[in-house]
Amino acid sequence: MGGLAPAGATVVTRRDGDVCYLQLHRPDAGNAINGALLAECGAVLRDCAAWARVVVIEGLPHVFCPGADLHEAAQSRPDRQAAARSAEALYGLWLRLKRGPFISIAHVRGKVSAGGVGFVAACDLVLCADDATFALPELLFGLMPACVLPFLIERVGSARAHAMILMTQAVSAPQAAAWGLADSTAADSANLLRMHLLRLRLLPRDAIARYKRYAASLDGGLEAARDKAVAANAELFSDPATHDKLARYAATGQFPWEVV
């Protein structure tokens, strides 16, 4: 597991002892999620299950993750089966972060929106820079964060999750910390991460794995919500009218209510 991404790769990984740093790395696409990124992240997390004590998910300095790659989605026709496969892969990846036998940390800098919030909410701990922002703008396009919602509710509660979805506005790092979406913020988030790792590396790997299995056994809500979330996501992303709105936004930057 090296520190450089080969040509075509969508992630950069680095191993430091029993800590895996997994950087989402699609600078040419603003770090948006596509099928390759999901597959590569999934492969890294499967490997980490055998040896990692901590997995740190990072983005680029100015954007963690904006959600789905709308430019890529606009190039294909609406397809419910394809949308379902994508949603299944996304939800499954987040379950790996949540249930894996390691401590997952989201190290957030810059903007996070849509599916990027799902990566954050799925992690055990969230550490962010003071200027990070979090937003769920899906309803503006007639969508909803169907796969994000179960993870977000578990992290911040129903009321906060619904407020984020309905308001569609960005939430600041201090507000995210107050709501429980972030665990800690700092101007120097890299140093914040280093301080946390000093403590977390003291925890035995077998104890982490046992604890996470036990915690999952107390509430299987995320597993129970999987089929509903995938179905809802597939229905929305395969709707032709919604697809046209997303394609227009990807091509022009104009929101659905703006006149052409």
Side-chain angles (χ1 to χ4, degrees), residues 155-209:
R155 192 162 237 291
V156 304
S158 295
R160 297 303 190 194
H162 294 330
M164 282 190 70
I165 292 169
L166 293 175
M167 293 302 296
T168 70
Q169 294 177 316
V171 173
S172 68
Q175 187 66 70
W179 285 4
L181 181 55
D183 294 294
S184 188
T185 74
D188 185 350
S189 61
N191 188 55
L192 180 67
L193 175 61
R194 283 193 293 271
M195 290 190 297
H196 277 73
L197 288 176
L198 288 174
R199 184 75 179 183
L200 295 173
R201 279 178 144 161
L202 301 176
L203 303 179
R205 283 193 68 245
D206 58 346
I208 293 169

Coordinates of all heavy atoms in Angstrom, one line a residue, residues 155-209:
R155 N -26.0 9.6 13.7 CA -25.0 10.5 14.2 C -25.5 11.7 14.9 O -25.1 12.1 16.0 CB -24.0 10.9 13.1 CG -22.8 11.5 13.7 CD -21.6 11.6 12.7 NE -20.4 10.9 13.2 CZ -19.7 11.4 14.2 NH1 -20.0 12.5 14.8 NH2 -18.6 10.8 14.6
V156 N -26.6 12.4 14.3 CA -27.0 13.7 14.8 C -28.4 13.7 15.3 O -28.9 14.6 15.9 CB -26.8 14.8 13.8 CG1 -25.4 14.9 13.3 CG2 -27.8 14.6 12.6
G157 N -29.2 12.6 15.1 CA -30.6 12.5 15.5 C -31.5 13.0 14.3 O -31.1 13.7 13.4
S158 N -32.8 12.6 14.4 CA -33.7 12.9 13.3 C -33.9 14.4 13.1 O -34.0 14.8 12.0 CB -35.1 12.2 13.7 OG -35.0 10.8 13.7
A159 N -34.1 15.1 14.2 CA -34.4 16.6 14.0 C -33.3 17.3 13.3 O -33.6 18.1 12.4 CB -34.7 17.2 15.4
R160 N -32.1 17.1 13.7 CA -30.9 17.8 13.0 C -30.8 17.3 11.6 O -30.5 18.1 10.7 CB -29.6 17.5 13.8 CG -29.6 18.0 15.2 CD -29.8 19.5 15.3 NE -29.6 20.0 16.6 CZ -29.9 21.2 17.0 NH1 -30.6 22.0 16.2 NH2 -29.7 21.6 18.3
A161 N -31.0 16.0 11.4 CA -30.8 15.5 10.0 C -31.9 16.1 9.1 O -31.6 16.5 8.0 CB -31.0 14.0 10.0
H162 N -33.1 16.2 9.6 CA -34.2 16.7 8.8 C -34.0 18.2 8.5 O -34.3 18.7 7.4 CB -35.6 16.5 9.5 CG -36.0 15.1 9.6 ND1 -35.6 14.1 8.7 CD2 -36.7 14.4 10.5 CE1 -36.1 13.0 9.0 NE2 -36.8 13.1 10.2
A163 N -33.5 18.9 9.5 CA -33.2 20.3 9.3 C -32.1 20.5 8.2 O -32.3 21.4 7.4 CB -32.7 21.0 10.6
M164 N -31.1 19.8 8.2 CA -30.1 19.9 7.2 C -30.6 19.6 5.8 O -30.3 20.3 4.9 CB -28.9 18.9 7.5 CG -27.9 19.3 8.6 SD -26.5 18.3 8.6 CE -25.6 18.7 7.1
I165 N -31.5 18.6 5.7 CA -32.0 18.2 4.4 C -33.0 19.3 3.9 O -33.0 19.7 2.7 CB -32.7 16.9 4.5 CG1 -31.7 15.8 4.7 CG2 -33.5 16.6 3.3 CD1 -32.2 14.4 5.1
L166 N -33.9 19.8 4.8 CA -34.9 20.7 4.4 C -34.3 22.1 4.1 O -34.8 22.8 3.1 CB -36.0 20.8 5.4 CG -36.8 19.6 5.6 CD1 -37.8 19.7 6.8 CD2 -37.6 19.2 4.3
M167 N -33.3 22.6 4.9 CA -32.8 23.9 4.7 C -31.8 24.0 3.5 O -31.7 25.0 2.9 CB -32.1 24.3 5.9 CG -33.0 24.6 7.1 SD -34.2 25.8 6.8 CE -33.2 27.3 6.6
T168 N -31.2 22.9 3.1 CA -30.3 22.8 2.0 C -29.1 23.7 2.1 O -28.4 23.9 1.1 CB -31.0 22.9 0.6 OG1 -31.4 24.3 0.5 CG2 -32.2 22.0 0.5
Q169 N -28.9 24.4 3.2 CA -27.8 25.3 3.4 C -26.6 24.7 4.0 O -26.7 23.7 4.8 CB -28.3 26.5 4.2 CG -29.4 27.4 3.6 CD -29.8 28.5 4.5 OE1 -30.1 28.3 5.6 NE2 -30.0 29.7 3.9
A170 N -25.4 25.3 3.8 CA -24.2 24.8 4.4 C -24.2 25.0 5.9 O -24.6 26.1 6.4 CB -23.0 25.4 3.7
V171 N -23.7 24.0 6.6 CA -23.5 24.1 8.1 C -22.0 24.3 8.3 O -21.2 23.6 7.8 CB -24.0 22.8 8.7 CG1 -23.7 22.8 10.2 CG2 -25.5 22.7 8.5
S172 N -21.7 25.3 9.2 CA -20.3 25.5 9.5 C -19.7 24.5 10.4 O -20.4 23.7 11.0 CB -20.1 26.9 10.2 OG -20.7 26.8 11.5
A173 N -18.4 24.4 10.5 CA -17.7 23.4 11.4 C -18.1 23.6 12.8 O -18.4 22.6 13.5 CB -16.2 23.6 11.2
P174 N -18.2 24.8 13.4 CA -18.6 25.0 14.8 C -20.1 24.4 15.0 O -20.4 23.8 16.0 CB -18.6 26.5 15.0 CG -17.5 27.0 14.1 CD -17.7 26.1 12.9
Q175 N -21.0 24.7 14.0 CA -22.3 24.2 14.1 C -22.4 22.7 14.0 O -23.1 22.0 14.7 CB -23.2 24.8 13.0 CG -24.7 24.5 13.2 CD -25.3 25.1 14.4 OE1 -25.4 26.4 14.5 NE2 -25.6 24.3 15.4
A176 N -21.6 22.2 13.1 CA -21.5 20.7 13.0 C -21.0 20.1 14.2 O -21.5 19.0 14.7 CB -20.6 20.3 11.8
A177 N -20.1 20.7 14.9 CA -19.6 20.2 16.2 C -20.7 20.3 17.3 O -20.9 19.3 18.1 CB -18.3 20.9 16.7
A178 N -21.4 21.4 17.3 CA -22.5 21.5 18.2 C -23.6 20.5 18.0 O -24.2 20.0 19.0 CB -23.1 22.9 18.1
W179 N -23.8 20.1 16.8 CA -24.9 19.1 16.5 C -24.4 17.7 16.6 O -25.2 16.8 16.6 CB -25.4 19.4 15.0 CG -26.3 20.5 14.9 CD1 -26.6 21.5 15.8 CD2 -26.9 20.9 13.7 NE1 -27.5 22.4 15.3 CE2 -27.7 22.1 14.0 CE3 -27.0 20.4 12.4 CZ2 -28.4 22.8 13.0 CZ3 -27.8 21.1 11.4 CH2 -28.5 22.2 11.7
G180 N -23.1 17.5 16.7 CA -22.6 16.1 16.8 C -22.1 15.5 15.5 O -21.7 14.4 15.4
L181 N -22.2 16.3 14.4 CA -21.8 15.8 13.1 C -20.2 15.7 13.1 O -19.6 14.8 12.5 CB -22.3 16.6 12.0 CG -21.9 16.2 10.6 CD1 -22.3 14.8 10.3 CD2 -22.5 17.2 9.5
A182 N -19.6 16.6 13.8 CA -18.1 16.6 14.0 C -17.8 16.4 15.4 O -18.6 16.9 16.3 CB -17.5 17.9 13.4
D183 N -16.8 15.7 15.7 CA -16.4 15.5 17.1 C -15.4 16.6 17.7 O -15.4 16.9 18.9 CB -15.7 14.1 17.3 CG -16.7 13.0 17.0 OD1 -17.7 12.8 17.8 OD2 -16.5 12.3 16.0
S184 N -14.6 17.2 16.8 CA -13.7 18.2 17.2 C -13.3 19.0 16.0 O -13.2 18.5 14.9 CB -12.5 17.6 17.9 OG -11.7 18.6 18.5
T185 N -13.0 20.3 16.2 CA -12.5 21.1 15.1 C -11.3 21.9 15.5 O -11.1 22.2 16.7 CB -13.6 22.1 14.6 OG1 -13.8 23.2 15.6 CG2 -15.0 21.5 14.4
A186 N -10.5 22.4 14.6 CA -9.3 23.2 14.9 C -8.8 23.9 13.7 O -9.1 23.4 12.5 CB -8.2 22.3 15.5
A187 N -8.1 25.0 13.8 CA -7.6 25.7 12.7 C -6.6 24.8 12.0 O -6.5 24.7 10.7 CB -6.9 27.0 13.1
D188 N -5.8 24.0 12.8 CA -4.8 23.1 12.2 C -5.4 21.7 12.4 O -5.1 21.0 13.4 CB -3.5 23.2 12.9 CG -2.4 22.4 12.4 OD1 -2.7 21.5 11.5 OD2 -1.2 22.5 12.7
S189 N -6.1 21.2 11.5 CA -6.8 19.9 11.7 C -5.8 18.8 11.6 O -6.1 17.7 12.1 CB -7.9 19.7 10.6 OG -7.4 19.8 9.3
A190 N -4.7 18.9 10.8 CA -3.7 17.9 10.8 C -3.1 17.6 12.1 O -2.9 16.5 12.5 CB -2.6 18.3 9.8
N191 N -2.8 18.7 12.9 CA -2.3 18.5 14.2 C -3.4 17.9 15.2 O -3.0 17.1 16.0 CB -1.8 19.8 14.8 CG -1.1 19.7 16.1 OD1 -0.1 18.9 16.2 ND2 -1.6 20.4 17.1
L192 N -4.6 18.3 15.0 CA -5.7 17.7 15.7 C -5.8 16.2 15.5 O -5.9 15.4 16.4 CB -7.0 18.3 15.3 CG -8.3 17.9 16.0 CD1 -8.3 18.2 17.5 CD2 -9.5 18.4 15.3
L193 N -5.6 15.8 14.2 CA -5.6 14.3 13.9 C -4.4 13.6 14.6 O -4.6 12.6 15.2 CB -5.5 14.2 12.4 CG -5.4 12.7 11.9 CD1 -6.6 11.9 12.3 CD2 -5.2 12.8 10.3
R194 N -3.3 14.2 14.5 CA -2.1 13.6 15.1 C -2.3 13.4 16.6 O -1.9 12.4 17.2 CB -0.8 14.5 14.9 CG -0.2 14.4 13.5 CD 1.1 15.1 13.5 NE 1.1 16.5 13.7 CZ 0.9 17.4 12.7 NH1 0.7 17.0 11.5 NH2 0.8 18.7 13.0
M195 N -2.9 14.4 17.3 CA -3.1 14.2 18.8 C -4.1 13.1 19.1 O -3.9 12.3 20.0 CB -3.6 15.6 19.3 CG -2.6 16.7 19.3 SD -3.2 18.1 20.3 CE -4.6 18.6 19.3
H196 N -5.1 13.0 18.3 CA -6.1 11.9 18.5 C -5.4 10.5 18.2 O -5.7 9.5 18.9 CB -7.3 12.1 17.6 CG -8.3 13.0 18.1 ND1 -8.1 14.4 18.2 CD2 -9.5 12.7 18.7 CE1 -9.2 14.9 18.8 NE2 -10.1 14.0 19.1
L197 N -4.6 10.4 17.2 CA -4.0 9.2 16.9 C -3.0 8.7 18.0 O -2.9 7.5 18.2 CB -3.2 9.3 15.5 CG -4.0 9.3 14.3 CD1 -3.2 9.5 13.0 CD2 -4.9 8.1 14.1
L198 N -2.4 9.6 18.7 CA -1.5 9.2 19.8 C -2.3 8.4 20.8 O -1.8 7.4 21.4 CB -0.9 10.5 20.5 CG 0.1 11.2 19.7 CD1 0.5 12.5 20.4 CD2 1.4 10.4 19.5
R199 N -3.5 8.8 21.0 CA -4.4 8.1 22.0 C -5.0 6.8 21.4 O -5.0 5.7 22.1 CB -5.5 9.0 22.5 CG -6.4 8.4 23.6 CD -5.7 8.4 24.9 NE -6.5 7.9 26.0 CZ -6.2 7.9 27.2 NH1 -5.0 8.3 27.6 NH2 -7.0 7.4 28.2
L200 N -5.5 6.9 20.2 CA -6.2 5.8 19.6 C -5.3 4.6 19.4 O -5.7 3.4 19.4 CB -6.9 6.2 18.3 CG -8.0 7.3 18.5 CD1 -8.4 7.7 17.1 CD2 -9.2 6.7 19.2
R201 N -4.0 4.9 19.1 CA -3.0 3.8 18.9 C -2.8 3.0 20.1 O -2.1 1.9 20.0 CB -1.7 4.4 18.3 CG -1.8 4.7 16.8 CD -0.6 5.3 16.3 NE -0.3 4.8 14.9 CZ 0.6 5.5 14.1 NH1 1.2 6.6 14.5 NH2 0.8 5.0 12.9
L202 N -3.2 3.4 21.3 CA -3.1 2.6 22.5 C -4.1 1.5 22.6 O -3.9 0.6 23.4 CB -3.2 3.6 23.7 CG -2.1 4.7 23.8 CD1 -2.5 5.6 25.0 CD2 -0.7 4.2 23.9
L203 N -5.2 1.6 21.8 CA -6.3 0.6 21.9 C -5.9 -0.7 21.2 O -5.5 -0.6 20.1 CB -7.5 1.2 21.3 CG -8.0 2.5 21.9 CD1 -9.3 3.0 21.2 CD2 -8.3 2.4 23.4
P204 N -6.1 -1.8 21.9 CA -5.8 -3.1 21.2 C -6.8 -3.3 20.0 O -7.9 -3.0 20.1 CB -6.0 -4.1 22.3 CG -6.0 -3.3 23.6 CD -6.5 -2.0 23.3
R205 N -6.2 -3.9 18.9 CA -7.0 -4.1 17.8 C -8.2 -5.1 18.1 O -9.3 -4.9 17.6 CB -6.2 -4.7 16.6 CG -5.4 -3.7 15.9 CD -4.8 -4.2 14.6 NE -5.9 -4.4 13.6 CZ -6.3 -5.6 13.1 NH1 -5.7 -6.7 13.6 NH2 -7.2 -5.7 12.2
D206 N -7.9 -6.1 18.8 CA -9.0 -7.1 19.1 C -10.1 -6.5 20.0 O -11.3 -6.8 19.8 CB -8.4 -8.4 19.8 CG -7.7 -8.1 21.1 OD1 -7.4 -6.9 21.4 OD2 -7.4 -9.0 21.8
A207 N -9.7 -5.5 20.8 CA -10.7 -4.8 21.7 C -11.6 -3.9 20.8 O -12.8 -3.8 21.0 CB -10.0 -4.0 22.8
I208 N -11.0 -3.3 19.8 CA -11.7 -2.4 18.9 C -12.8 -3.3 18.1 O -13.9 -2.9 18.0 CB -10.8 -1.7 17.9 CG1 -9.9 -0.7 18.7 CG2 -11.6 -1.0 16.8 CD1 -8.8 -0.2 17.8
A209 N -12.3 -4.4 17.6 CA -13.2 -5.3 16.8 C -14.3 -5.8 17.7 O -15.5 -5.8 17.2 CB -12.4 -6.4 16.2

